[in-house]
Amino acid sequence: MKSALETLSPTRVKLTVEVPFDELKPSLDAAIKHIGEHITVPGFRKGKVPARIIEQRVGRAAVLEEAVNSSLPQFYGQALEENDVRPLGQPEISDLQVPANDGDGLSFVAEVDKRPEIELPDFGDIELTVDEVTADDSAVDERLETLRARFGTLVGVDRAAAEGDFVSLDLSATIDGEEIDSVTGVSYEVGSKNMLEGLDDTLVGMSADETRTFSAPLAGGDREGQPAECTVTVTAVKERELPELDDEFAQLASEFDTLDELKADLAKKAEIDAKFAQGVSARDQLLDAILEKVDVPIPDSVVEAEVHSHLEGEGRLEDDEHRAEVDESTRKGLKTQLVLDAIAEREEVQVQQQELIEFLVMSSQQYGMDPNQFAQQLDQDGQIPAMVAEVARRKALATVLEKVAVKDTAGNVVDLNEAVPGTEGDEDETDVVDAEQVEASELTESTESTESGDTDESVPAKA
């Protein structure tokens, strides 16, 4: 097979591929065999029909179509490999020339978007500033109030609802007189603003057995975003009664005997959270700084396809304002992936099996799925390589973060080794993950042990 590469732009190439008959013949033979297994010819057993009879029966064009359809991806992939092209998206195939006679070859042209070449600068001159770690009384008091609320009790009151109260309510939504959705007996905190827009303002001042109506866009379902006429009835008003802050409360809410011990523990946790927040802030600032320093050409067709798919899924193809927002976020997301992939290559980042497993467990929790089922679903969808790439990108960013200067607002140098999400310790190269070979069975076995807090050193890793 011969292939020639023509660069059309920094993000698009054209491959001209010529396949001699000798290399195409195995695909023709396989096509004839496959067709022969699915047709019946009087006088011949199924699967034993001679090739010339099959061609006479179905036509040479059908045999060529079967052979080309099955072999084209292989020849295209070989051309990509020969020319060191890493594609983005699906190719556009043109000028397909199939052999008219035995001895003729196959040729075609493929245009495809590719990963652009990215020149990475030295990021060592980047300086980041994060908030100073403080665990003052206000942070402790906030945690205490949260803890009190968790152990508070709801007590019915004979008055109108105010912000912070809890109400039992019935709620229905209609559009043009048709009921779209309804719920009854729901407990809701006034002011939490996690249901319908305008509900909280409507509830303030309502008493038990009172009904009001208001208009709001639906928050979910097939008619999400459409304005609806909503009717809310309050059946009860309750206020939260908080326990006293004393030693008895400390014993109820924690393993400590005194309130002072509980406060000291909360102060330590507040400091840990503040350090973690430093790491998150530094990571986000660093990513923005990297994207500012690196120029990356983005293939428009890839962005347009992603934006179209996104808007089509939302049913908002005609929403130009939203299209502009999705286009901007898609471009930034693609640029981020490409830059972090380039950094991962330069830094020779490798993903360990345990790192992948921990990432899958964390991701499964975000989707509310069992880790084993989550890993199996990803494997069925061919998404394991994408997960490996995402872990590599996180590690790549953490690698750069170790090399830049980070100070807090007081001018103190900040050590983020234990505060940054995604930073890793020493690596065992024997557990490096090969994204194309790792098997779901290995991941599901390991997610079980990770969930239970037990890491199984005997789980094999494909290298």
Side-chain angles (χ1 to χ4, degrees):
M1 190 194 85
K2 295 189 300 183
S3 63
L5 175 70
E6 180 183 350
T7 299
L8 304 177
S9 76
T11 62
R12 194 166 181 84
V13 295
K14 180 168 76 172
L15 292 162
T16 302
V17 183
E18 297 179 0
V19 183
F21 181 79
D22 288 346
E23 291 187 36
L24 181 63
K25 190 174 185 307
S27 298
L28 289 169
D29 293 340
I32 289 173
K33 180 179 179 181
H34 181 262
I35 294 172
E37 291 172 347
H38 292 82
I39 65 172
T40 301
V41 178
F44 296 95
R45 288 181 296 165
K46 185 173 289 191
K48 300 296 183 180
V49 184
R52 61 182 179 82
I53 301 297
I54 293 174
E55 287 198 19
Q56 291 173 2
R57 189 80 175 203
V58 302
R60 182 171 176 80
V63 175
L64 285 172
E65 181 180 4
E66 173 80 20
V68 170
N69 287 342
S70 63
S71 63
L72 199 61
Q74 170 195 338
F75 296 130
Y76 167 68
Q78 188 175 335
L80 291 176
E81 187 175 347
E82 286 181 358
N83 293 278
D84 195 23
V85 174
R86 292 184 294 175
L88 291 172
Q90 296 300 314
E92 294 179 8
I93 304 297
S94 62
D95 296 335
L96 179 62
Q97 301 293 324
V98 298
N101 304 294
D102 285 349
D104 293 343
L106 166 74
S107 66
F108 62 92
V109 172
E111 284 192 24
V112 67
D113 291 309
K114 74 176 187 72
R115 289 178 177 268
E117 299 296 328
I118 299 176
E119 292 190 13
L120 296 174
D122 180 13
F123 300 120
D125 60 345
I126 294 177
E127 296 183 359
L128 308 175
T129 302
V130 296
D131 291 336
E132 185 180 4
V133 169
T134 57
D136 54 21
D137 291 342
S138 63
V140 174
D141 291 343
E142 183 178 344
R143 286 171 172 268
L144 272 176
E145 289 306 308
T146 301
L147 202 55
R148 286 180 77 196
R150 191 184 307 167
F151 286 89
T153 55
L154 296 180
V155 179
V157 292
D158 186 17
R159 59 170 174 77
E163 190 164 311
D165 286 338
F166 284 77
V167 296
S168 295
L169 59 82
D170 301 335
L171 181 65
S172 64
T174 61
I175 296 180
D176 297 331
E178 176 189 356
E179 185 175 283
I180 305 301
D181 198 6
S182 65
V183 292
T184 59
V186 173
S187 179
Y188 181 74
E189 183 179 3
V190 181
S192 60
K193 298 183 189 252
N194 57 14
M195 284 186 73
L196 288 175
E197 181 182 322
L199 174 62
D200 296 87
D201 292 337
T202 303
L203 289 172
V204 172
M206 290 185 66
S207 302
D209 300 323
E210 184 177 351
T211 299
R212 291 182 183 177
T213 60
F214 64 99
S215 296
L218 295 178
D222 295 337
R223 307 181 76 167
E224 180 180 357
Q226 296 185 22
E229 188 73 12
C230 305
T231 302
V232 60
T233 299
V234 172
T235 57
V237 179
K238 302 176 183 179
E239 65 180 8
R240 182 152 34 199
E241 198 172 79
L242 301 178
E244 293 293 329
L245 282 176
D246 51 25
D247 291 346
E248 185 176 344
F249 169 72
Q251 294 164 18
L252 171 68
S254 70
E255 70 273 25
F256 301 106
D257 294 326
T258 67
L259 184 61
D260 289 340
E261 290 175 331
L262 174 58
K263 286 183 176 181
D265 181 67
L266 293 178
K268 290 180 182 177
K269 291 178 178 177
E271 183 176 352
I272 291 173
D273 283 356
K275 288 181 178 179
F276 186 83
Q278 280 186 328
V280 173
S281 175
R283 178 198 63 191
D284 294 344
Q285 289 182 54
L286 175 62
L287 182 56
D288 289 339
I290 289 174
L291 297 180
E292 187 72 26
K293 288 172 72 76
V294 182
D295 183 33
V296 181
I298 302 297
D300 290 334
S301 60
V302 173
V303 174
E304 289 168 4
E306 178 63 29
V307 171
H308 183 86
S309 176
H310 181 96
L311 295 177
E312 188 175 42
E314 293 183 335
R316 300 175 68 176
L317 285 172
E318 306 304 320
D319 189 337
D320 292 337
E321 183 177 349
H322 186 50
R323 176 181 292 274
E325 295 172 353
V326 175
D327 184 277
E328 181 181 357
S329 64
T330 300
R331 289 181 184 276
K332 182 178 180 180
L334 182 55
K335 180 179 180 180
T336 299
Q337 288 188 8
L338 293 173
V339 171
L340 293 181
D341 286 344
I343 294 174
E345 290 181 6
R346 185 177 75 174
E347 300 296 330
E348 298 182 345
V349 170
Q350 294 180 321
V351 176
Q352 314 305 307
Q353 181 168 314
Q354 188 59 32
E355 294 167 347
L356 175 60
I357 292 165
E358 289 171 358
F359 180 71
L360 291 178
V361 170
M362 178 183 68
S363 300
S364 70
Q365 293 170 348
Q366 294 174 348
Y367 286 97
M369 293 180 63
D370 173 77
N372 295 335
Q373 294 177 349
F374 184 69
Q376 290 172 352
Q377 186 63 53
L378 288 175
D379 185 61
Q380 291 172 10
D381 295 340
Q383 292 299 307
I384 295 298
M387 296 295 102
V388 175
E390 183 58 31
V391 176
R393 292 179 190 121
R394 291 170 176 241
K395 292 187 67 176
L397 187 59
T399 299
V400 178
L401 192 53
E402 293 176 353
K403 301 176 181 179
V404 302
V406 183
K407 294 183 179 181
D408 64 20
T409 50
N412 302 310
V413 175
V414 177
D415 181 3
L416 295 174
N417 283 338
E418 296 182 358
V420 182
T423 53
E424 310 296 336
D426 295 335
E427 299 178 349
D428 180 359
E429 294 186 359
T430 61
D431 281 339
V432 173
V433 169
D434 184 328
E436 301 299 330
Q437 296 184 18
V438 66
E439 297 176 359
S441 59
E442 300 172 6
L443 297 177
T444 54
E445 290 173 7
S446 300
T447 51
E448 290 176 350
S449 60
T450 300
E451 262 200 307
S452 64
D454 178 30
T455 55
D456 182 2
E457 297 294 340
S458 66
V459 175
K462 302 256 180 165

